[in-house]
């Protein structure tokens, strides 16, 4: 599987497209003003305790208070509260926790009012970005993620990803981490650590320890509801979690981001530095790599499949519904079962891709085409699980119900990617009617007269549809010559096939559009 990352930098943010075998599978947008990304750590102020919900509302500077449930406090929240108090009092000068005495774990079935009180200051981490009308979801069980390991303060446990199956490897990794981890810090060993040496794991852990030291240093000076430490950008996060030898290219159209990514890749995988490339062509980067077309064909309500079948995707407040239709795909009536199975498999692969691409979370209900053979239903269920295995978000897939519906729950930590693919008609502005073509030349000449007489433009270029260009230049004494005789200036006329019939624009000498 060949993977490529295409990064498009624009004034309002950065859009990152992940391609697998040239097919778009993930699309994420990192807005410049997004101050509430998953992983960011804030110094929250407890605004309100809600005993009925066993939760608290916390001020982290967002327009709506963030939500912190008792189960998200973490077992060692008392140690975090204690550290915050003594740091704020100026009586704790260390950056690590070597001489820090841990408090007892809180009761799993306790009450939030027994732990927190109003106006208390507590470092919290964004677990879910603001979605719809809801504020951020928080956790005070802090963790700092690296490429190979995750650092967890106020703990001594070492846990290993369940995806690492070899007992020998699990023992080896645990021994390495035990020998290098600092006191009063726990470590989660990630799947990508498998086969890595001491030097790589130690470097990653030292980077995380440095980030914790930054938190300790900033905690004293940070004002309530302000950010203490930001998570890495989405680009670096994706590289941290996904980068491996399968990646063949990382294309970037911005010099600053190119240098940042090249340095980051050099740090984590020096052998892959050469795959980071700066895109320099005039054509927009997403158009050059065919991503724009894939976005337009993929994000609509209806998604067509190669064999003629199609999906209909509906979004409601509570859940997402996906309906599988065979469309114009024809099959022998005697082989209807086999045809339904093939369409469903094709749909299952596309559904797994759509969930990643749109970052759809919550409950997803899929209505596959009915099949009567139990073996086919089981094979489809196994195939869907296999396709969903590539998804990094936590998810659960239930077997088909008696009505043939498959239910999927998928973790949602940031707003769903929603792109409107239906475009408003530029000719009629969505009204269904266009201006009478007989008055088009009057409009052009009135605007031209205003630009030359009132705005005193020295050089003007008129860009129109090719048919209109031909009309303006037609004849020995053409419209273009009449303008020259009238104004004493030669008006350049250019055509653009992409313009609709009655569209026209005026450009100045710098090729900038003259606003009318």
């Amino acid at each position: 599987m060949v993977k490529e990352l295409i990064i498009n930098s624009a004034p309002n943010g950065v859009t990152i497209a992940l391609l697998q075998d040239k097919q778009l599978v993930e699309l994420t947008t990192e807005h410049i003003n997004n101050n509430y990304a998953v992983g960011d750590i804030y110094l929250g102020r407890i605004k309100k305790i809600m005993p009925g919900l066993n939760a608290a509302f916390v001020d982290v500077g967002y327009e709506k208070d963030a939500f912190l449930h008792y189960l998200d406090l973490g077992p060692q929240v008392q140690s975090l509260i204690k550290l915050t108090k003594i740091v704020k009092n100026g009586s704790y000068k260390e950056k690590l926790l070597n001489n820090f005495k841990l408090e007892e774990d809180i009761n799993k079935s306790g009450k939030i009012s027994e732990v927190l009180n109003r106006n208390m200051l507590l470092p919290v981490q964004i677990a879910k970005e603001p979605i719809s009308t809801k504020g951020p979801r928080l956790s005070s069980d802090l963790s700092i993620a690296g490429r190979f390991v995750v650092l967890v303060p106020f703990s001594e446990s070492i846990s290993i990803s369940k995806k690492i199956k070899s007992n020998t490897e699990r023992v080896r990794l645990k021994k390495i981490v035990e020998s290098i981890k600092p006191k009063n810090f726990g470590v989660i060993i990630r799947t990508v650590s498998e086969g890595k040496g001491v030097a790589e794991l130690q470097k990653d852990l030292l980077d995380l320890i440095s980030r914790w030291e930054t938190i300790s240093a900033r905690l004293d000076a940070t004002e309530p509801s302000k950010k203490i430490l930001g998570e890495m950008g989405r680009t670096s996060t994706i590289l941290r979690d996904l980068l491996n030898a399968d990646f063949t290219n990382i294309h970037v159209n911005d010099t600053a981001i190119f240098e940042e990514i090249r340095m980051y890749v050099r740090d984590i995988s020096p052998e892959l530095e050469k795959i980071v490339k700066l895109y320099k062509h005039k054509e927009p980067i997403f158009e050059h790599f065919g991503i724009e077309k894939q976005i337009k064909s993929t994000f609509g309500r209806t998604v067509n499949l190669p064999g003629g079948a199609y999906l209909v995707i509906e979004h409601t407040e509570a859940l997402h519904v996906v309906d599988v239709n065979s469309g114009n795909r024809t099959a022998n009536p005697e082989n209807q079962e086999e045809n339904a199975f093939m369409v469903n498999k094709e749909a299952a692969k596309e559904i797994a891709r759509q969930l990643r691409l749109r970052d759809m979370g919550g409950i997803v209900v899929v209505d596959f085409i009915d099949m009567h053979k139990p073996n086919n239903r089981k094979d489809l269920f196994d195939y869907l699980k296999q396709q969903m295995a590539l998804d990094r978000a936590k998810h659960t897939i239930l077997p088909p119900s008696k009505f043939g519906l498959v239910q999927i729950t998928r973790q949602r930590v940031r707003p769903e990617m929603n792109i409107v693919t239906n475009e408003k008609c530029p000719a009629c502005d969505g009204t269904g009617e266009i201006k009478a073509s007989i008055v088009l030349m009057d409009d052009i000449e009135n605007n031209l007269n205003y630009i030359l007489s009132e705005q005193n433009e020295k050089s003007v270029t008129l860009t129109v549809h090719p048919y209109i260009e031909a009309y303006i230049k037609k004849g020995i004494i053409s419209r273009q010559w009449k303008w020259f005789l009238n104004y004493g200036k030669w008006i350049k006329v250019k055509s653009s096939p992409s313009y609709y019939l009655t569209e026209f624009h005026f450009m100045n000498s710098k090729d900038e559009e003259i606003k009318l």
Side-chain angles (χ1 to χ4, degrees):
M1 185 181 292
V2 177
K3 294 181 182 177
E4 293 179 285
L5 210 60
I6 315 298
I7 300 165
N8 178 31
S9 177
N12 61 335
V14 177
T15 304
I16 307 153
L18 174 63
L19 305 182
Q20 287 181 353
D21 296 330
K22 301 296 181 183
Q23 188 179 44
L24 181 65
V25 293
E26 282 189 29
L27 188 71
T28 56
T29 300
E30 183 180 354
H31 295 289
I32 288 174
N33 60 352
N34 182 18
N35 294 322
Y36 297 91
V38 173
D40 287 353
I41 297 175
Y42 283 77
L43 181 60
R45 182 191 290 278
I46 309 299
K47 289 287 291 291
K48 191 184 295 182
I49 304 292
M50 304 294 289
L53 298 173
N54 205 16
F57 285 102
V58 185
D59 178 16
V60 290
Y62 190 66
E63 58 192 62
K64 292 198 173 183
D65 290 336
F67 185 78
L68 175 63
H69 193 271
Y70 182 85
L71 296 176
D72 295 320
L73 291 177
Q76 271 292 322
V77 66
Q78 295 287 19
S79 296
L80 180 60
I81 293 169
K82 175 183 171 182
L83 179 68
T84 305
K85 284 180 180 176
I86 59 178
V87 168
K88 284 290 185 183
N89 291 337
S91 55
Y92 192 79
K93 301 298 182 185
E94 294 185 36
K95 292 183 178 179
L96 294 179
L97 303 173
N98 294 333
N99 299 317
F100 183 82
K101 185 179 178 182
L102 299 181
E103 298 293 303
E104 290 185 7
D105 289 3
I106 60 171
N107 187 351
K108 289 183 179 178
S109 56
K111 304 293 183 185
I112 199 161
S113 55
E114 298 169 356
V115 181
L116 305 180
N117 53 59
R118 197 166 176 272
N119 287 326
M120 175 186 283
L121 297 181
L122 177 69
V124 288
Q125 194 162 25
I126 305 292
K128 282 187 181 181
E129 293 178 13
I131 297 173
S132 186
T133 58
K134 300 174 183 176
R137 178 80 181 255
L138 304 177
S139 169
S140 56
D141 192 7
L142 306 184
S143 63
I144 309 172
R147 178 158 167 75
F148 301 121
V149 296
V150 179
L151 188 67
V152 183
F154 313 113
S155 172
E156 286 288 357
S157 66
I158 298 174
S159 45
I160 305 174
S161 168
K162 292 178 181 177
K163 292 182 181 178
I164 299 178
K165 304 296 184 184
S166 167
N167 284 332
T168 306
E169 180 64 5
R170 292 173 72 88
V171 170
R172 184 188 76 87
L173 290 170
K174 189 169 184 178
K175 282 183 177 178
I176 291 173
V177 171
E178 278 178 343
S179 66
I180 58 178
K181 84 170 189 67
K183 185 182 176 183
N184 288 335
F185 282 93
V187 174
I188 301 169
I189 300 172
R190 306 182 72 179
T191 309
V192 288
S193 298
E194 191 168 8
K196 302 301 177 185
V198 180
E200 292 169 294
L201 295 175
Q202 186 171 26
K203 182 181 181 302
D204 195 39
L205 190 56
L206 288 174
D207 288 343
L208 300 184
I209 291 169
S210 174
R211 299 191 78 199
W212 172 259
E213 290 175 340
T214 302
I215 294 172
S216 298
R218 291 179 180 175
L219 187 56
D220 183 29
T222 303
E223 294 293 322
S225 78
K226 301 297 183 184
K227 188 187 292 186
I228 302 172
L229 185 74
E231 171 65 297
M232 293 188 301
R234 289 291 295 144
T235 311
S236 299
T237 304
I238 289 174
L239 289 173
R240 180 191 70 194
D241 295 343
L242 289 180
L243 190 64
N244 56 35
D246 291 342
F247 271 87
T248 55
N249 293 298
I250 300 172
H251 295 280
V252 194
N253 67 344
D254 181 87
T255 307
I257 296 175
F258 165 74
E259 289 297 336
E260 178 190 333
I261 291 173
R262 192 166 64 87
M263 295 291 287
Y264 182 72
V265 172
R266 183 193 296 169
D267 284 344
I268 63 173
S269 294
E271 71 281 2
L272 294 177
E273 183 188 350
K274 62 182 180 296
I275 71 172
V276 185
K277 298 168 184 175
L278 181 62
Y279 179 81
K280 296 180 179 178
H281 300 290
K282 288 184 178 180
E283 185 182 18
I285 188 169
F286 273 12
E287 287 186 18
H288 181 81
F289 289 100
I291 295 168
E292 199 66 47
K293 185 177 179 181
Q294 289 195 55
I295 290 172
K296 292 293 184 184
S297 64
T298 305
F299 275 88
R301 176 177 175 267
T302 302
V303 178
N304 294 315
L305 303 178
Y310 63 93
L311 307 177
V312 177
I313 303 175
E314 298 279 5
H315 306 281
T316 71
E317 188 69 25
L319 47 80
H320 309 278
V321 181
V322 183
D323 185 33
V324 180
N325 294 274
S326 58
N328 58 10
R329 182 165 176 156
T330 57
N332 189 324
E334 297 175 4
N335 202 21
Q336 185 63 40
E337 176 78 13
E338 190 61 29
N339 183 59
F341 179 58
M342 295 305 295
V343 170
N344 283 338
K345 278 189 72 174
E346 197 176 291
K349 183 176 181 180
E350 181 61 28
I351 287 165
R353 173 180 171 239
Q354 286 288 330
L355 295 184
R356 291 175 67 188
L357 193 54
R358 303 186 188 211
D359 207 3
M360 290 160 61
I363 301 171
V364 181
V365 179
V366 184
D367 183 12
F368 285 105
I369 298 172
D370 290 340
M371 297 184 297
H372 303 291
K373 293 182 180 178
N375 284 347
N376 283 347
R377 291 199 293 268
K378 182 181 182 302
D379 288 348
L380 176 64
F381 178 60
D382 292 340
Y383 183 74
L384 180 59
K385 287 199 296 185
Q386 176 190 330
Q387 293 298 315
M388 289 288 291
L390 298 171
D391 196 338
R392 288 177 293 139
K394 292 178 184 176
H395 59 269
T396 304
I397 308 172
L398 298 182
S401 70
K402 63 187 294 185
F403 298 113
L405 302 176
V406 173
Q407 297 173 70
I408 303 170
T409 61
R410 186 175 183 275
Q411 181 187 32
R412 175 165 57 186
V413 296
R414 54 182 59 86
E416 178 187 333
M417 175 66 70
N418 186 27
I419 295 175
V420 177
T421 55
N422 292 334
E423 298 175 356
K424 184 186 283 188
C425 171
C428 70
D429 199 31
T431 63
E433 298 175 348
I434 65 169
K435 189 180 292 185
S437 56
I438 197 169
V439 299
L440 174 62
M441 289 312 302
D442 289 344
D443 278 351
I444 291 175
E445 290 179 343
N446 288 339
N447 284 304
L448 184 62
N449 182 61
Y450 173 77
I451 289 169
L452 295 174
S453 304
E454 302 293 329
Q455 295 190 195
N456 296 316
E457 287 286 350
K458 303 299 182 189
S459 175
V460 177
T461 301
L462 171 64
T463 309
V464 291
H465 186 276
Y467 288 175
I468 306 302
E469 180 200 28
Y471 174 76
I472 291 171
K473 293 181 176 181
K474 177 186 174 184
I476 298 174
I477 306 296
S478 64
R479 288 263 182 170
Q480 194 175 19
W481 270 103
K482 287 179 181 178
W483 293 342
F484 176 71
L485 296 172
N486 190 19
Y487 298 110
K489 292 179 182 176
W490 185 252
I491 311 302
K492 296 177 186 174
V493 181
K494 292 165 59 177
S495 68
S496 174
S498 64
Y499 280 21
Y500 55 90
L501 187 63
T502 58
E503 182 179 6
F504 62 90
H505 297 280
F506 293 99
M507 306 293 177
N508 61 20
S509 58
K510 296 179 181 177
D511 206 28
E512 297 170 341
E513 185 179 351
I514 300 170
K515 299 297 181 182
L516 299 171

